[in-house]
Amino acid sequence: MTGVSLLWALRSPCNLGCRYCYFGTVEEHRAGLPDGPGMLSHLSRTDLDLTDIVAFVDTLPGSRVDRIFIAGGEPLIWPPVLDVVAAIKAAGVQVVLCTNGIPLNRPQLVERILAIGVDAVSVSLDSADASYNDHWRPARNGQHGHVDVSHGIRALLGARGTGSTPRVGIYTVITRRNLDAVTEMAVLAARLGCDYFVPQPIALQRGHPLHQTLSLTPADAPALERVLDRLYAEQPLPLPAPTYPGQVVATVAAAVPGMVRNCFGGTNLFFIEPDGSVWDCPSSLKIAASAHRPRRDIRGNSAKALFGPATTCADCALFSVDCVNMWPLMDFDSFLWAAGSSS
Ligand SMILES: C[S@@+](CC[C@H](N)C(=O)[O-])C[C@H]1O[C@@H](n2cnc3c(N)ncnc32)[C@H](O)[C@@H]1O
Ligand code: SF4
């Protein structure tokens, strides 16, 4: 595909409280919401309402947008989410749902995902070891966890039966604490019957309280390279492009942000926040660097006006682990291709 992909953080609230989440934690924000440019919070009170969201979706036909990754917060706990997804599909745009997987235990929700023809569902799970996953990705109700995510994935795959859509994959955040367990997680994904696996390096700002504990440092780069070499050698299921491990290791090995030529951010990929603001990409460095620009907003705006016509991709001097997580999104055709998925 050569059009525009949108990574749309549709809603702020979440039923989990992942300690490293780039939305921050509810505990941190109870005392006060962050107010820096583009800062996110699960407690945000500025999420767009359904009317504004649907008005924007209605402008998609005829625009360059051809794929939307719906994320959050947790998109599948918002009751109207599948009405929005159905409207996006009706506009001829592919949809990939990004979820923590717990809501997939609701049979009616799964049936509707199938009926709408969602193209893929990416589920987050950080380890084959339930105690690791549930420590870093705890449920706010203190009950749900690894077992429910696995069950939700099985339920979705079971309902799909011999059908080919949606494709179902697992995303794992790689940290210093689960580095050695990445291949085991991919093997579990294959055993569950998933169609793809994406290991993504953790991105935490230097001042984050967990930066020292979880972030991969240049000293971890050789171990990370060995881990990714093993994963790609064993290849238990489809993985991001063969160039991906090199990009991941290069950003972890670099002490400072580097230069990337012809970046797709702001040309073929855009990031939409729950308040409707539009950014070139979700990198915190890029958002901070573009905060002086006039605010772009989907509220009252059309997809054609916001995302076209095509221009030349610009070079960017802020290449970091924040960016690496975008590369598999831009290469998503390979995960959908097996199903012959089309909008
Ligand atoms: C913010 S979540 C939203 C969708 C959904 N709630 C979920 O967890 O999949 C999107 C993805 O970002 C990942 N993520 C969250 N915080 C991250 C961080 N600091 N660094 C890297 N990935 C992160 C999550 O694990 C998930 O795969
Ligand atoms: S489930 Fe997703 S949005 Fe919710 S806290 Fe975890 S990473 Fe963040």
Side-chain angles (χ1 to χ4, degrees), residues 10-16 23 26 41-45 47 71-78 100 140 274:
L10 188 66
R11 309 304 294 169
S12 295
C14 190
N15 51 330
L16 298 193
F23 271 71
V26 167
S41 171
H42 293 303
L43 294 179
S44 173
R45 297 285 174 267
D47 289 13
E74 175 48 49
L76 295 184
I77 58 169
W78 188 47
N100 60 42
R140 297 207 55 75

Side-chain angles (χ1 to χ4, degrees), residues 20-22 72-74 98-100 124 137 173 200-204:
Y20 54 69
C21 182
Y22 56 70
E74 175 48 49
C98 308
T99 174
N100 60 42
S124 300
R137 298 183 61 84
V173 175
Q200 55 177 3
I202 192 157
L204 292 177

Side-chain angles (χ1 to χ4, degrees), residues 13-16 73-79 81-82 97-113 121-124 137 139 141 144-156:
C14 190
N15 51 330
L16 298 193
E74 175 48 49
L76 295 184
I77 58 169
W78 188 47
V81 65
L82 292 183
L97 289 172
C98 308
T99 174
N100 60 42
I102 307 285
L104 298 174
N105 289 288
R106 286 159 37 206
Q108 285 177 340
L109 184 126
V110 166
E111 272 167 35
R112 186 113 195 266
I113 288 174
V121 180
S122 297
V123 183
S124 300
R137 298 183 61 84
N141 68 5
H144 293 137
H146 194 282
V147 65
D148 306 282
V149 180
S150 309
H151 193 269
I153 293 171
R154 284 201 186 92
L156 178 59

Side-chain angles (χ1 to χ4, degrees), residues 211-244:
H211 180 65
Q212 298 257 350
T213 313
L214 296 181
S215 292
L216 296 158
T217 66
D220 298 310
L224 176 63
E225 189 168 15
R226 281 194 299 277
V227 163
L228 294 177
D229 279 352
R230 183 184 153 208
L231 175 67
Y232 274 70
E234 295 189 17
Q235 187 107 15
L237 75 178
L239 301 166
T243 47
Y244 179 67

Side-chain angles (χ1 to χ4, degrees), residues 32-327:
L33 295 182
D35 57 3
M39 297 285 277
L40 297 161
S41 171
H42 293 303
L43 294 179
S44 173
R45 297 285 174 267
T46 55
D47 289 13
L48 288 189
D49 63 27
L50 183 60
T51 311
D52 287 330
I53 288 172
V54 170
F56 168 72
V57 168
D58 285 345
T59 72
L60 287 170
S63 75
R64 290 176 61 230
V65 178
D66 55 18
R67 185 174 294 150
I68 301 184
F69 296 85
I70 298 281
E74 175 48 49
L76 295 184
I77 58 169
W78 188 47
V81 65
L82 292 183
D83 296 335
V84 174
V85 170
I88 296 172
K89 285 293 295 176
V93 174
Q94 291 188 343
V95 174
V96 179
L97 289 172
C98 308
T99 174
N100 60 42
I102 307 285
L104 298 174
N105 289 288
R106 286 159 37 206
Q108 285 177 340
L109 184 126
V110 166
E111 272 167 35
R112 186 113 195 266
I113 288 174
L114 289 162
I116 291 169
V118 167
D119 297 275
V121 180
S122 297
V123 183
S124 300
L125 194 62
D126 282 357
S127 176
D129 172 359
S131 60
Y132 175 93
N133 182 77
D134 296 349
H135 175 74
W136 296 106
R137 298 183 61 84
R140 297 207 55 75
N141 68 5
Q143 291 171 14
H144 293 137
H146 194 282
V147 65
D148 306 282
V149 180
S150 309
H151 193 269
I153 293 171
R154 284 201 186 92
L156 178 59
L157 287 166
R160 183 181 81 179
T162 55
S164 55
T165 51
R167 309 308 284 166
V168 180
I170 289 185
Y171 267 66
T172 291
V173 175
I174 318 177
T175 74
R176 301 185 81 179
R177 298 295 179 96
N178 68 351
L179 193 52
D180 293 334
V182 171
T183 299
E184 284 66 29
M185 185 57 240
V187 169
L188 172 62
R191 220 182 307 129
L192 285 168
C194 289
D195 304 299
Y196 58 90
F197 176 71
V198 179
Q200 55 177 3
I202 192 157
L204 292 177
Q205 295 188 357
R206 279 186 192 282
H208 192 286
L210 292 171
H211 180 65
Q212 298 257 350
T213 313
L214 296 181
S215 292
L216 296 158
T217 66
D220 298 310
L224 176 63
E225 189 168 15
R226 281 194 299 277
V227 163
L228 294 177
D229 279 352
R230 183 184 153 208
L231 175 67
Y232 274 70
E234 295 189 17
Q235 187 107 15
L237 75 178
L239 301 166
T243 47
Y244 179 67
Q247 289 163 326
V248 175
V249 173
T251 54
V252 167
V256 291
M259 170 66 83
V260 59
R261 301 275 171 213
N262 301 321
C263 183
F264 43 74
T267 307
N268 296 324
L269 173 83
F270 293 84
F271 178 50
I272 304 176
E273 295 197 342
D275 66 358
S277 54
V278 177
W279 303 89
D280 286 352
C281 72
S283 156
S284 55
L285 298 176
K286 183 78 175 185
I287 287 177
S290 42
H292 62 282
R293 282 168 40 177
R295 182 184 156 112
R296 290 169 293 172
D297 201 319
I298 63 169
R299 187 179 0 211
N301 233 325
S302 77
K304 253 191 195 168
L306 285 166
F307 309 121
T311 51
T312 311
C313 293
D315 298 343
C316 181
L318 297 173
F319 189 55
S320 72
V321 276
D322 279 19
C323 317
V324 174
N325 295 330
M326 300 309 113
W327 290 86

